């Protein structure tokens, strides 16, 4: 029987952790009870991108978008919506502008400003069903290329598209393929880099979970282009759902003979295997990744020779990032010119960003290159919660830097972000508001790199640790002006003398916060104050006469440091206060502020 | 799968199962499925619209159900909204009537006036 309704349930990692599997099960039971199980299709998809509102479900053909769905909501959805066609109002998302409920997914500004190429199938198809991928023109690009194009033509198409690597380096993909194709060897390898170590980034995981076949198809295309018959997907073991769906996809593709020997009746053969990584950031660096697949410790080695010449087991190897590969089939289906028409001159196509931090719509967004940061933060991201003021946005993760208000109108592309002292990186975007201390932010990223340094070279291993010591000192109120100079000196030294990208870029978050927020550093070392009220040693909370005596702060204080009668101004005992900030968040009238202090004493 | 033709055939077949996720233009058919709608047999009507759409491979229509349409006496009813937003409410539907509407209105763009709610009420 024909399905009259399809219910798409988000099966991305975010929503799965908030019970989307149980929701699907509840639907199955409820639909059976109502006797309409045959009429309604249930599909567990990949991430819809709006993870903040998860678990998310979309009901077709109306395209109704329901957010924060609970298992207990399933009954009413079945009875009212599926049976009688009435929307469940309270599960709809509100339009932030007029507070009206939005019924259709495409009406959400979160989606309407996006352009989905790499994520084209995420949240649209069942990742466990190869037929749904094929219905969306899956494997058509591979079929046409194998039967109608020479490897050189394939490379030329990718070159013409202007696609640049999305894994961090931003190197022209077509050129890379060309190098690998030109290396003469009877054995070559294609590697998909799915290590995704950048804290905050999860676009690669979402693609693998939501659209695994697009990666397989792109790898096979690459294999045909460079003359390889074997691919590896290097994915971290911490991504079990992605691994499971990839394994399933590979099996299905083999069954359909879309992988294996003589694909589409040609003499081209290609196989793909999965290699699990232990989840070290440095293993995302391509030479370390290759070492890791070979069974050695994942440590970077000197380039050149580049992997395109001497890679896996000494054979020419092409390494591409997941998101880079996800774009490839579209370049063939719609043409290089179409791809080039999106984005800016030197950065074509789109980029996926993982929006996080102090922003309303945390999640995955894909926008054309050249979209401004302001559009991403305010239009798509929905702005900063709780009426706080925007302070900075960190792009490029632990290798990147921060961008401030004055540069928010910059169109995002590889070159512009570099000019601003940050970088594209893998696409993490962390938004910070006035409650974030920038010294503390720098410290967070540096702690990460100190942990993740492989230890091979001294400047990276020891230098970053010294920088971290200095930052700790500054946050504890023991820093001096000389420390800031020292940080900069160390930073430049590490950048120049480290072997791999990890060390070379590790100082970036520190340098960029010093550049844009030197006054905050100075406040820490000279005034012994943390203006944002984050560094415990340098913060002091006070209640001003705006207090209406609602007692909320006192109720929220974990150490009972607040006293006062209802309807009277409250007081904080600084001796007891542990600077957790809970009171400030709880106060409905904003009467609690953190003020700079000298070791706990107000200045 | 050994040829492009095979792939394309599978694509077209699979797409049929999924079209409802992607067709947005064309006619919109809304069948009234309030309590009395269901009681007066709206479900077979809804299914007939779907069956016909599938049988004749009509890609230019979306079929959904809506709640009470406020005219219980004339159930089962369906509202058809065309590309220009013009709305036609058909009432007291039976399976042969649905077939006629599909044939005349959806395929040949000729509304079947004698089944329209307004005409029936005037009688
Ligand atoms: C420390 C470090 C970590 C990296 N981590 C990743 C990663 O997690 N995923 C990734 O695709 N590329 C990562 N890269 C970049 C890779 O070395 C390589 O440039 C990339 O996989 C090439 O693919 P692309 O050209 O498609 O971007 C990392 C680089 C460095 C220096
Ligand atoms: S820069 Fe750091 S991570 Fe890279 S090789 Fe040297 S020690 Fe290892
Ligand atoms: S900052 Fe935390 S510990 Fe201090 S007064 Fe407020 S709630 Fe209590
Ligand atoms: S929460 Fe704010 S208004 Fe309420 S008692 Fe505390 S300081 Fe006063
Ligand atoms: S995981 Fe469900 S929307 Fe991202
Ligand atoms: S319930 Fe059908 S018209 Fe009222």
């Amino acid at each position: 029987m024909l399905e009259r309704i399809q219910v798409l349930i988000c099966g991305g990692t975010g929503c799965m952790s908030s019970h989307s599997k149980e929701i699907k099960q509840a639907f199955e039971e409820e639909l059976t009870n109502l006797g309409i199980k045959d009429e309604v299709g249930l599909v567990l998809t990949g991430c819809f991108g709006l993870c903040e509102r998860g678990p998310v479900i979309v009901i077709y053909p109306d395209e109704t978008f329901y957010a924060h769905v609970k298992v207990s909501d399933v009954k009413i959805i079945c009875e009212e919506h599926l049976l009688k066609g009435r929307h469940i109002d309270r599960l709809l998302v509100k339009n932030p502008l007029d507070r009206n409920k939005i019924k259709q997914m495409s009406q959400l500004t979160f989606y309407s400003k996006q352009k989905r190429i790499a994520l084209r199938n995420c949240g649209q198809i069942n990742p466990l069903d190869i037929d749904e991928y094929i219905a969306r023109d899956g494997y058509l690009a591979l079929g046409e290329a194998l039967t109608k194009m020479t490897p050189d033509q394939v490379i030329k198409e990718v070159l013409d598209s202007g696609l640049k690597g999305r894994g961090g380096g931003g190197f022209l993909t077509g050129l890379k393929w060309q190098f690998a194709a030109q290396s003469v060897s009877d054995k070559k390898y294609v590697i998909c880099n799915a290590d995704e170590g950048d804290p905050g980034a999860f676009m690669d995981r979402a693609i693998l979970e939501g659209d695994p076949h697009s990666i397989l198809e792109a790898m096979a295309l690459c294999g045909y282009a460079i003359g390889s018959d074997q691919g590896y997907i290097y994915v971290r073991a911490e991504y079990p759902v992605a691994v499971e769906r990839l394994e399933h996809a590979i099996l299905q593709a083999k069954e359909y003979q879309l992988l294996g020997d003589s694909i589409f009746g040609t003499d081209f053969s290609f196989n793909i295997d999965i290699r699990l990584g232990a989840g070290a950031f440095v293993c995302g660096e391509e030479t370390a990744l290759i070492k890791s697949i070979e069974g050695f410790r994942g440590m970077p080695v000197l380039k050149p020779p580049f992997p395109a010449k001497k890679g896996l087991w000494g054979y020419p190897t092409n390494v591409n990032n997941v998101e880079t590969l996800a774009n490839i089939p579209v370049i063939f289906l719609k043409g290089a010119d179409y791809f080039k028409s999106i984005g800016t001159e030197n950065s074509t196509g789109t980029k996926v960003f993982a929006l996080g931090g102090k922003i309303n719509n945390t999640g995955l967004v894909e926008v054309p290159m050249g979209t401004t940061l302001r559009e991403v933060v305010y239009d798509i991201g929905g702005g900063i919660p709780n009426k706080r003021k925007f302070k900075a946005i960190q792009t490029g993760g632990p290798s990147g830097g921060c961008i401030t208000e004055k540069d928010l109108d910059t169109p995002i592309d590889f070159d512009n972000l570099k000019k601003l002292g940050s970088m594209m990186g893998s696409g993490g975007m962390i938004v910070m508001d006035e409650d974030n201390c920038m010294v503390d932010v720098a410290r967070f990223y540096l702690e990460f790199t100190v942990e993740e340094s492989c230890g091979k070279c001294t400047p990276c291993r020891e230098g970053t640790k010294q920088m971290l010591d200095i930052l700790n000192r500054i946050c504890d109120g023991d820093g001096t002006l000389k420390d800031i100079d020292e940080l900069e000196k160390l930073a430049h030294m590490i950048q120049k003398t480290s072997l791999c990208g990890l060390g070379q870029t590790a100082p970036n978050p520190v340098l960029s916060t010093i550049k844009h927020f030197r006054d905050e550093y100075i406040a820490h070392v000279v005034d012994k104050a943390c203006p944002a009220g984050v560094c415990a040693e340098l913060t002091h909370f006070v209640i001003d006469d705006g207090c209406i005596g609602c007692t909320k702060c006192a109720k929220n204080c974990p150490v009972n440091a607040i006293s006062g009668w209802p309807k009277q101004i409250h007081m904080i005992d600084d001796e007891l206060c542990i600077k957790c900030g809970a009171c400030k968040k709880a106060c409905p009238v904003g009467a609690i502020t953190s003020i700079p202090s000298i070791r706990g004493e107000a200045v | 799968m050994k040829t492009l033709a095979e792939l394309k055939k599978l694509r077209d077949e699979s797409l049929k199962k999924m079209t409802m996720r992607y067709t947005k233009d064309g006619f919109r058919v809304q069948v009234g499925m309030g309590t009395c709608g269901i009681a007066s047999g709206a479900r077979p009507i809804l299914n007939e619209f779907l069956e016909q759409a599938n049988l004749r491979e009509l890609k230019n229509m979306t079929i959904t159900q809506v709640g009470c349409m406020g005219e219980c006496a004339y159930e089962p009813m369906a509202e058809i909204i065309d590309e220009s937003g013009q709305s036609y409410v058909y009432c007291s539907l039976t399976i042969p009537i649905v077939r006629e509407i599909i044939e005349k209105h959806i395929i040949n763009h000729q509304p079947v006036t004698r089944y329209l709610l307004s005409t029936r009420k005037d009688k």
Side-chain angles (χ1 to χ4, degrees), chain A residues 3-6 36 39 61-63 82 84-85 124 132 134 136-137 256-257 262 264, chain B residues 1-2 7 10-11 14 17 20-22 24 28 33 43 46 50 62-67:
Chain A
E3 290 166 355
R4 65 180 171 93
I5 294 179
Q6 283 177 342
I36 53 170
E39 302 168 23
D62 291 354
E63 221 193 34
L82 303 189
K84 299 181 186 165
Q124 300 278 333
E132 293 211 349
I134 289 174
R136 301 265 279 168
D137 289 333
Y256 276 31
Q257 294 168 291
S262 58
F264 281 105
Chain B
M1 186 138 6
K2 278 291 165 213
L7 181 76
L10 178 60
R11 175 193 62 189
S14 309
K17 283 188 247 160
M20 74 165 71
R21 285 183 230 166
Y22 307 112
K24 293 228 176 61
R28 200 178 159 82
M33 295 274 273
R43 290 175 51 81
L46 178 64
L50 283 155
T62 330
I63 302 160
T64 65
Q65 72 285 55
V66 292

Short mmCIF file of all heavy atoms in Angstrom, two decimals, chain A residues 3-6 36 39 61-63 82 84-85 124 132 134 136-137 256-257 262 264, chain B residues 1-2 7 10-11 14 17 20-22 24 28 33 43 46 50 62-67:
data_model
loop_
_atom_site.label_atom_id
_atom_site.label_comp_id
_atom_site.label_asym_id
_atom_site.label_seq_id
_atom_site.Cartn_x
_atom_site.Cartn_y
_atom_site.Cartn_z
N GLU A 3 2.22 4.77 0.95
CA GLU A 3 2.26 5.55 2.18
C GLU A 3 1.71 6.95 1.91
O GLU A 3 2.07 7.58 0.93
CB GLU A 3 3.70 5.66 2.68
CG GLU A 3 4.22 4.34 3.19
CD GLU A 3 5.72 4.33 3.37
OE1 GLU A 3 6.36 5.33 3.02
OE2 GLU A 3 6.24 3.32 3.86
N ARG A 4 0.82 7.38 2.79
CA ARG A 4 0.27 8.72 2.56
C ARG A 4 1.00 9.76 3.39
O ARG A 4 0.90 10.96 3.15
CB ARG A 4 -1.23 8.75 2.84
CG ARG A 4 -1.60 8.47 4.27
CD ARG A 4 -3.11 8.51 4.45
NE ARG A 4 -3.48 8.04 5.76
CZ ARG A 4 -3.65 8.85 6.81
NH1 ARG A 4 -3.47 10.13 6.67
NH2 ARG A 4 -3.98 8.35 7.97
N ILE A 5 1.68 9.31 4.39
CA ILE A 5 2.42 10.22 5.27
C ILE A 5 3.77 9.61 5.53
O ILE A 5 3.88 8.39 5.67
CB ILE A 5 1.69 10.38 6.61
CG1 ILE A 5 0.36 11.08 6.41
CG2 ILE A 5 2.54 11.14 7.62
CD1 ILE A 5 -0.42 11.25 7.68
N GLN A 6 4.78 10.45 5.60
CA GLN A 6 6.06 9.95 6.06
C GLN A 6 6.53 10.77 7.24
O GLN A 6 6.50 12.00 7.22
CB GLN A 6 7.09 9.96 4.93
CG GLN A 6 6.83 8.80 3.97
CD GLN A 6 7.75 8.77 2.78
OE1 GLN A 6 8.39 9.76 2.46
NE2 GLN A 6 7.81 7.64 2.12
N ILE A 36 -3.10 2.04 11.27
CA ILE A 36 -2.70 2.79 10.08
C ILE A 36 -1.20 2.63 9.82
O ILE A 36 -0.57 3.47 9.19
CB ILE A 36 -3.05 4.29 10.21
CG1 ILE A 36 -2.48 4.89 11.50
CG2 ILE A 36 -4.54 4.50 10.15
CD1 ILE A 36 -2.60 6.41 11.56
N GLU A 39 -0.02 2.87 6.25
CA GLU A 39 -0.20 4.13 5.52
C GLU A 39 0.89 5.13 5.85
O GLU A 39 1.04 6.15 5.19
CB GLU A 39 -1.54 4.79 5.90
CG GLU A 39 -2.73 3.91 5.63
CD GLU A 39 -3.97 4.49 6.28
OE1 GLU A 39 -4.02 5.69 6.55
OE2 GLU A 39 -4.90 3.70 6.55
N PRO A 61 3.48 14.90 3.82
CA PRO A 61 3.85 15.92 2.86
C PRO A 61 3.74 17.36 3.38
O PRO A 61 4.14 18.27 2.67
CB PRO A 61 2.84 15.71 1.73
CG PRO A 61 1.65 15.15 2.40
CD PRO A 61 2.16 14.33 3.52
N ASP A 62 3.24 17.60 4.55
CA ASP A 62 3.06 18.97 5.01
C ASP A 62 4.37 19.63 5.38
O ASP A 62 4.44 20.83 5.52
CB ASP A 62 2.17 19.01 6.26
CG ASP A 62 0.75 18.65 5.94
OD1 ASP A 62 0.48 18.49 4.75
OD2 ASP A 62 -0.06 18.52 6.86
N GLU A 63 5.40 18.82 5.62
CA GLU A 63 6.70 19.35 6.04
C GLU A 63 6.59 19.99 7.42
O GLU A 63 7.24 20.98 7.71
CB GLU A 63 7.15 20.42 5.03
CG GLU A 63 8.59 20.36 4.70
CD GLU A 63 9.02 21.62 3.96
OE1 GLU A 63 8.52 22.72 4.21
OE2 GLU A 63 9.89 21.47 3.11
N LEU A 82 -1.62 12.61 12.48
CA LEU A 82 -1.60 11.60 11.42
C LEU A 82 -3.00 11.15 11.03
O LEU A 82 -3.27 10.83 9.89
CB LEU A 82 -0.76 10.40 11.85
CG LEU A 82 0.69 10.73 12.24
CD1 LEU A 82 1.48 9.46 12.44
CD2 LEU A 82 1.35 11.60 11.18
N LYS A 84 -6.05 12.96 11.93
CA LYS A 84 -7.01 14.02 11.62
C LYS A 84 -6.38 15.25 10.96
O LYS A 84 -7.10 16.19 10.60
CB LYS A 84 -7.71 14.47 12.91
CG LYS A 84 -8.47 13.33 13.55
CD LYS A 84 -9.16 13.79 14.80
CE LYS A 84 -9.80 12.61 15.51
NZ LYS A 84 -10.17 12.98 16.89
N GLY A 85 -5.08 15.26 10.85
CA GLY A 85 -4.46 16.37 10.17
C GLY A 85 -4.41 17.66 10.96
O GLY A 85 -4.34 18.74 10.40
N GLN A 124 17.02 14.10 5.16
CA GLN A 124 16.08 13.95 4.04
C GLN A 124 15.86 12.49 3.68
O GLN A 124 14.81 12.13 3.18
CB GLN A 124 16.63 14.68 2.80
CG GLN A 124 16.84 16.15 2.99
CD GLN A 124 15.57 16.94 2.82
OE1 GLN A 124 14.67 16.51 2.11
NE2 GLN A 124 15.46 18.06 3.47
N GLU A 132 17.06 5.03 -1.22
CA GLU A 132 16.71 6.44 -1.05
C GLU A 132 17.83 7.34 -1.54
O GLU A 132 17.60 8.42 -2.08
CB GLU A 132 16.37 6.74 0.43
CG GLU A 132 15.09 6.04 0.87
CD GLU A 132 14.32 6.80 1.94
OE1 GLU A 132 14.86 7.77 2.52
OE2 GLU A 132 13.16 6.42 2.20
N ILE A 134 19.86 6.52 -3.96
CA ILE A 134 19.78 6.41 -5.42
C ILE A 134 18.63 7.25 -5.97
O ILE A 134 18.75 7.89 -7.00
CB ILE A 134 19.63 4.92 -5.83
CG1 ILE A 134 20.97 4.21 -5.57
CG2 ILE A 134 19.22 4.78 -7.28
CD1 ILE A 134 20.95 2.72 -5.77
N ARG A 136 17.74 10.00 -4.98
CA ARG A 136 18.22 11.38 -5.05
C ARG A 136 19.43 11.46 -5.97
O ARG A 136 20.40 12.16 -5.68
CB ARG A 136 18.59 11.85 -3.64
CG ARG A 136 17.43 11.79 -2.65
CD ARG A 136 16.71 13.08 -2.53
NE ARG A 136 17.39 14.00 -1.64
CZ ARG A 136 17.08 15.28 -1.54
NH1 ARG A 136 16.13 15.79 -2.27
NH2 ARG A 136 17.73 16.05 -0.70
N ASP A 137 19.44 10.73 -7.04
CA ASP A 137 20.51 10.71 -8.03
C ASP A 137 21.83 10.16 -7.50
O ASP A 137 22.90 10.44 -8.04
CB ASP A 137 20.76 12.11 -8.62
CG ASP A 137 19.63 12.53 -9.53
OD1 ASP A 137 18.98 11.63 -10.09
OD2 ASP A 137 19.38 13.74 -9.67
N TYR A 256 24.92 -4.16 -4.51
CA TYR A 256 24.45 -3.57 -5.75
C TYR A 256 25.56 -3.48 -6.79
O TYR A 256 25.39 -2.87 -7.83
CB TYR A 256 23.90 -2.15 -5.48
CG TYR A 256 22.47 -2.11 -5.00
CD1 TYR A 256 21.93 -3.15 -4.24
CD2 TYR A 256 21.67 -1.01 -5.29
CE1 TYR A 256 20.62 -3.08 -3.79
CE2 TYR A 256 20.36 -0.94 -4.84
CZ TYR A 256 19.84 -1.98 -4.09
OH TYR A 256 18.54 -1.91 -3.65
N GLN A 257 26.72 -4.01 -6.45
CA GLN A 257 27.90 -3.95 -7.33
C GLN A 257 28.32 -2.52 -7.67
O GLN A 257 28.82 -2.26 -8.76
CB GLN A 257 27.64 -4.76 -8.61
CG GLN A 257 27.50 -6.25 -8.32
CD GLN A 257 26.96 -6.99 -9.52
OE1 GLN A 257 25.80 -6.81 -9.89
NE2 GLN A 257 27.80 -7.79 -10.14
N SER A 262 34.73 -4.58 -11.47
CA SER A 262 34.13 -4.08 -12.72
C SER A 262 32.79 -3.38 -12.48
O SER A 262 31.71 -3.87 -12.83
CB SER A 262 33.99 -5.18 -13.76
OG SER A 262 33.22 -6.25 -13.27
N PHE A 264 29.78 -0.92 -12.91
CA PHE A 264 29.02 -0.49 -14.10
C PHE A 264 29.54 -1.18 -15.36
O PHE A 264 29.61 -0.58 -16.43
CB PHE A 264 29.08 1.03 -14.28
CG PHE A 264 28.12 1.75 -13.37
CD1 PHE A 264 28.60 2.43 -12.25
CD2 PHE A 264 26.75 1.73 -13.59
CE1 PHE A 264 27.72 3.07 -11.39
CE2 PHE A 264 25.87 2.38 -12.74
CZ PHE A 264 26.36 3.05 -11.63
N MET B 1 23.78 -4.52 -10.38
CA MET B 1 23.59 -3.33 -11.22
C MET B 1 24.79 -3.18 -12.14
O MET B 1 25.90 -3.01 -11.69
CB MET B 1 23.50 -2.11 -10.33
CG MET B 1 23.16 -0.90 -11.10
SD MET B 1 21.98 0.13 -10.27
CE MET B 1 21.75 -0.59 -8.67
N LYS B 2 24.55 -3.28 -13.42
CA LYS B 2 25.69 -3.25 -14.33
C LYS B 2 25.63 -2.10 -15.32
O LYS B 2 26.60 -1.82 -16.01
CB LYS B 2 25.77 -4.58 -15.10
CG LYS B 2 26.46 -5.69 -14.31
CD LYS B 2 27.95 -5.40 -14.15
CE LYS B 2 28.59 -6.26 -13.07
NZ LYS B 2 29.66 -5.61 -12.34
N LEU B 7 20.44 1.65 -13.14
CA LEU B 7 20.49 2.59 -12.03
C LEU B 7 19.35 3.60 -12.13
O LEU B 7 18.65 3.88 -11.16
CB LEU B 7 21.84 3.32 -12.01
CG LEU B 7 22.02 4.32 -10.87
CD1 LEU B 7 22.30 3.59 -9.56
CD2 LEU B 7 23.17 5.29 -11.14
N LEU B 10 15.98 2.08 -11.22
CA LEU B 10 15.83 1.95 -9.77
C LEU B 10 15.59 3.32 -9.14
O LEU B 10 14.80 3.46 -8.22
CB LEU B 10 17.09 1.31 -9.17
CG LEU B 10 17.11 1.15 -7.66
CD1 LEU B 10 15.95 0.27 -7.19
CD2 LEU B 10 18.43 0.55 -7.20
N ARG B 11 16.29 4.33 -9.69
CA ARG B 11 16.10 5.69 -9.15
C ARG B 11 14.64 6.10 -9.29
O ARG B 11 14.02 6.57 -8.35
CB ARG B 11 16.99 6.68 -9.90
CG ARG B 11 16.72 8.12 -9.46
CD ARG B 11 17.34 9.13 -10.39
NE ARG B 11 16.79 9.06 -11.75
CZ ARG B 11 17.30 9.72 -12.77
NH1 ARG B 11 18.37 10.48 -12.62
NH2 ARG B 11 16.75 9.63 -13.97
N SER B 14 12.38 4.21 -6.88
CA SER B 14 12.54 4.62 -5.48
C SER B 14 11.99 6.02 -5.25
O SER B 14 11.46 6.32 -4.19
CB SER B 14 14.03 4.61 -5.10
OG SER B 14 14.61 3.40 -5.45
N LYS B 17 8.36 6.43 -4.18
CA LYS B 17 8.05 6.27 -2.76
C LYS B 17 8.33 7.53 -1.97
O LYS B 17 7.86 7.70 -0.87
CB LYS B 17 8.90 5.13 -2.18
CG LYS B 17 8.41 3.76 -2.55
CD LYS B 17 9.19 2.71 -1.76
CE LYS B 17 10.06 1.89 -2.70
NZ LYS B 17 11.16 1.21 -2.06
N MET B 20 6.56 12.52 -2.12
CA MET B 20 5.80 13.41 -1.25
C MET B 20 6.73 14.30 -0.43
O MET B 20 6.35 15.34 0.04
CB MET B 20 4.91 12.60 -0.32
CG MET B 20 5.67 11.92 0.78
SD MET B 20 4.56 11.36 2.05
CE MET B 20 3.75 10.02 1.26
N ARG B 21 7.99 13.90 -0.29
CA ARG B 21 8.92 14.75 0.45
C ARG B 21 9.40 15.92 -0.39
O ARG B 21 9.98 16.84 0.12
CB ARG B 21 10.12 13.92 0.90
CG ARG B 21 9.79 13.01 2.06
CD ARG B 21 11.02 12.27 2.52
NE ARG B 21 10.73 10.85 2.63
CZ ARG B 21 11.66 9.91 2.75
NH1 ARG B 21 12.93 10.25 2.75
NH2 ARG B 21 11.33 8.66 2.84
N TYR B 22 9.23 15.83 -1.70
CA TYR B 22 9.83 16.87 -2.53
C TYR B 22 8.88 17.66 -3.41
O TYR B 22 9.23 18.73 -3.87
CB TYR B 22 10.94 16.25 -3.39
CG TYR B 22 11.90 15.50 -2.52
CD1 TYR B 22 12.00 14.13 -2.57
CD2 TYR B 22 12.65 16.20 -1.57
CE1 TYR B 22 12.84 13.46 -1.71
CE2 TYR B 22 13.48 15.54 -0.72
CZ TYR B 22 13.58 14.16 -0.79
OH TYR B 22 14.39 13.50 0.06
N LYS B 24 6.26 20.28 -4.13
CA LYS B 24 5.70 21.37 -3.37
C LYS B 24 4.73 22.15 -4.23
O LYS B 24 3.86 22.82 -3.73
CB LYS B 24 6.82 22.30 -2.90
CG LYS B 24 7.69 21.62 -1.89
CD LYS B 24 7.93 22.49 -0.67
CE LYS B 24 8.72 21.72 0.35
NZ LYS B 24 10.04 21.34 -0.19
N ARG B 28 -2.96 20.94 -4.35
CA ARG B 28 -2.91 20.47 -2.99
C ARG B 28 -4.30 19.93 -2.65
O ARG B 28 -5.29 20.65 -2.77
CB ARG B 28 -2.57 21.66 -2.09
CG ARG B 28 -2.03 21.27 -0.76
CD ARG B 28 -1.68 22.50 0.05
NE ARG B 28 -1.67 22.06 1.43
CZ ARG B 28 -0.64 21.46 1.99
NH1 ARG B 28 0.46 21.25 1.30
NH2 ARG B 28 -0.69 21.04 3.23
N MET B 33 -10.62 15.22 7.70
CA MET B 33 -10.56 14.02 8.53
C MET B 33 -10.88 14.36 9.97
O MET B 33 -10.20 13.91 10.89
CB MET B 33 -9.17 13.38 8.42
CG MET B 33 -8.84 12.85 7.04
SD MET B 33 -9.44 11.19 6.77
CE MET B 33 -8.07 10.26 7.42
N ARG B 43 -11.65 8.12 5.13
CA ARG B 43 -10.40 7.39 4.95
C ARG B 43 -10.30 6.69 3.58
O ARG B 43 -9.30 6.84 2.90
CB ARG B 43 -10.17 6.41 6.09
CG ARG B 43 -9.87 7.12 7.40
CD ARG B 43 -9.76 6.14 8.53
NE ARG B 43 -8.86 5.07 8.18
CZ ARG B 43 -7.55 5.18 8.27
NH1 ARG B 43 -7.02 6.29 8.71
NH2 ARG B 43 -6.78 4.19 7.93
N LEU B 46 -9.53 9.38 1.05
CA LEU B 46 -8.13 9.79 1.10
C LEU B 46 -7.27 8.75 0.39
O LEU B 46 -6.42 9.07 -0.44
CB LEU B 46 -7.70 9.93 2.57
CG LEU B 46 -6.24 10.29 2.83
CD1 LEU B 46 -5.92 11.67 2.29
CD2 LEU B 46 -5.96 10.25 4.32
N LEU B 50 -4.83 8.91 -3.08
CA LEU B 50 -3.44 8.45 -3.11
C LEU B 50 -3.22 7.38 -4.16
O LEU B 50 -2.27 7.41 -4.92
CB LEU B 50 -3.08 7.88 -1.73
CG LEU B 50 -2.81 8.94 -0.68
CD1 LEU B 50 -3.08 8.38 0.72
CD2 LEU B 50 -1.38 9.41 -0.77
N THR B 62 -0.11 17.22 -4.04
CA THR B 62 0.22 16.78 -2.69
C THR B 62 -1.10 16.45 -2.02
O THR B 62 -2.07 17.18 -2.16
CB THR B 62 0.82 17.94 -1.88
OG1 THR B 62 1.49 18.81 -2.76
CG2 THR B 62 1.75 17.45 -0.81
N ILE B 63 -1.11 15.36 -1.30
CA ILE B 63 -2.36 14.96 -0.66
C ILE B 63 -2.17 14.94 0.85
O ILE B 63 -1.25 14.29 1.35
CB ILE B 63 -2.78 13.56 -1.15
CG1 ILE B 63 -2.93 13.61 -2.68
CG2 ILE B 63 -4.07 13.12 -0.47
CD1 ILE B 63 -2.85 12.26 -3.32
N THR B 64 -3.00 15.68 1.54
CA THR B 64 -2.89 15.66 3.00
C THR B 64 -4.27 15.60 3.61
O THR B 64 -5.28 15.69 2.90
CB THR B 64 -2.23 16.94 3.55
OG1 THR B 64 -3.09 18.03 3.25
CG2 THR B 64 -0.88 17.17 2.95
N GLN B 65 -4.29 15.45 4.88
CA GLN B 65 -5.58 15.45 5.55
C GLN B 65 -5.66 16.68 6.46
O GLN B 65 -4.65 17.16 6.93
CB GLN B 65 -5.77 14.17 6.36
CG GLN B 65 -4.93 14.05 7.61
CD GLN B 65 -3.49 13.73 7.30
OE1 GLN B 65 -2.81 14.42 6.55
NE2 GLN B 65 -2.98 12.70 7.92
N VAL B 66 -6.86 17.21 6.63
CA VAL B 66 -7.03 18.33 7.54
C VAL B 66 -8.12 17.97 8.54
O VAL B 66 -8.82 16.97 8.38
CB VAL B 66 -7.43 19.63 6.78
CG1 VAL B 66 -6.29 20.11 5.92
CG2 VAL B 66 -8.67 19.39 5.95
N GLY B 67 -8.25 18.80 9.54
CA GLY B 67 -9.24 18.53 10.56
C GLY B 67 -10.65 18.88 10.09
O GLY B 67 -10.92 18.93 8.90
#
